[in-house]
Amino acid sequence: MKALAGFAAGLLFGLGLIISGMSDPAKVLNFLDIFGEWDPSLAFVMGGATVTTYIGYRLAWRSAKPALMPDFDIPTRQDIDRPLLTGAALFGIGWGIGGFCPGPAWTALAMGAPGTLVFIATMLAGIALGRRL
Amino acid sequence: MLPVTPTDFTPLASLAGGVLIGVSAVLVMALFGRVAGIVGITAGAVTQDDRKWRIAFILGLIAAPVLWMLATGGFPAQTVSDNLPGMAIAGLLVGIGTALGSGCTSGHGVCGLARLSTRSLVAVLTFMVFAALTVFILRHGFGAGL
């Protein structure tokens, strides 16, 4: 049941990335290219996703616990520390070079572009490395 | 790095896709009680005891374009750079950065902002500024010839 629900949620997320255009690195890079070929579409992706999540979270939190797990496990940290800023900056640079963040990279895997395969391999290595820093 | 490919402004499709992403994030919270950060789910698929739903979620992400192709007859439009060393560096930076900064566009962006987390807001502003600066340098600055 958990696996089936997880798969359905991942599929929905992936279809959202595709329909929104965020699965296409060209569209992402054009969104980031404010002084050039600017395509503001991705602001609508972030807006639609965040507002939906804001409302839905508050409905979900009315339950004492999630449907398939014993408890909610939500990040509690509020401090702004150096790893947060350094990590976000490095992520931003990588995002600006390749046009992929992690979700769209996974969604692109089955299309098998050589750039995607290389990106996912080094991203996984980077995650393993970053967790040790 | 990547030749500039013009793309159409698609506010309605992008909004609709965004809402789907939001529904998925809400499902992950309602069912599993967790934030739907892709990097967190990816790392947790290896490190957490409860890994089945995380592996299944990633498989769902991977299956999405296949379902899209079965429904529409073609893969979604996509332009990926053929500069493999560049993509290797990009992937490494994205991996290290999101692991170190505890989140990506979904974890800090969608879920963190929806939780009204200051930490996530700072992360989002930071990666947006650095991403836009990177694109500016690569397309219009001294990196334009790379």
Side-chain angles (χ1 to χ4, degrees):
Chain A
M1 183 60 203
K2 277 186 195 172
L4 193 66
F7 183 80
L11 193 62
L12 203 59
F13 200 108
L15 289 174
L17 288 172
I18 292 168
I19 291 168
S20 69
M22 198 160 180
S23 60
D24 183 359
K27 205 161 172 67
V28 173
L29 293 174
N30 287 345
F31 171 67
L32 295 169
D33 191 8
I34 299 159
F35 301 105
E37 192 66 41
W38 196 42
D39 175 358
S41 303
L42 292 209
F44 289 78
V45 187
M46 287 302 284
T50 304
V51 170
T52 304
T53 307
Y54 177 87
I55 297 166
Y57 270 9
R58 272 133 195 97
L59 295 174
W61 290 337
R62 287 186 183 176
S63 304
K65 67 178 207 58
L68 302 176
M69 300 280 254
D71 47 30
F72 287 106
D73 183 6
I74 298 159
T76 52
R77 288 180 61 182
Q78 284 294 338
D79 57 311
I80 312 295
D81 59 353
R82 191 181 291 263
L84 180 81
L85 296 173
T86 312
L90 292 176
F91 165 43
I93 295 168
W95 194 29
I97 295 174
F100 272 140
C101 52
W106 279 124
T107 305
L109 178 64
M111 290 182 266
T116 304
L117 303 180
V118 168
F119 182 95
I120 291 179
T122 58
M123 177 182 81
L124 293 176
I127 293 172
L129 191 64
R131 289 168 67 85
R132 288 162 201 270
L133 293 177
Chain B
M1 171 73 208
L2 183 62
V4 178
T5 309
T7 51
D8 294 329
F9 177 49
T10 55
L12 287 180
S14 290
L15 189 66
V19 169
L20 279 186
I21 293 168
V23 170
S24 169
V26 173
L27 275 178
V28 170
M29 182 59 71
L31 298 171
F32 303 111
R34 306 295 191 271
V35 292
I38 303 300
V39 168
I41 291 174
T42 302
V46 186
T47 59
Q48 296 286 327
D49 290 336
D50 195 65
R51 66 182 62 159
K52 264 190 198 163
W53 75 267
R54 293 182 169 89
I55 295 169
F57 186 96
I58 303 291
L59 290 176
L61 277 180
I62 295 170
V66 179
L67 185 73
W68 180 268
M69 189 187 66
L70 293 176
T72 67
F75 273 131
Q78 191 197 46
T79 312
V80 181
S81 170
D82 284 329
N83 181 336
L84 298 187
M87 290 307 278
I89 293 166
L92 194 64
L93 289 172
V94 167
I96 293 175
T98 52
L100 192 63
S102 319
C104 54
T105 335
S106 51
H108 278 314
V110 175
C111 301
L113 295 182
R115 292 188 300 108
L116 304 181
S117 157
T118 315
R119 210 173 125 79
S120 289
L121 177 62
V122 170
V124 170
L125 293 175
T126 305
F127 66 63
M128 292 298 268
V129 166
F130 274 84
L133 277 174
T134 302
V135 170
F136 183 81
I137 291 167
L138 289 177
R139 286 191 174 177
H140 311 290
F142 57 81
L146 290 180

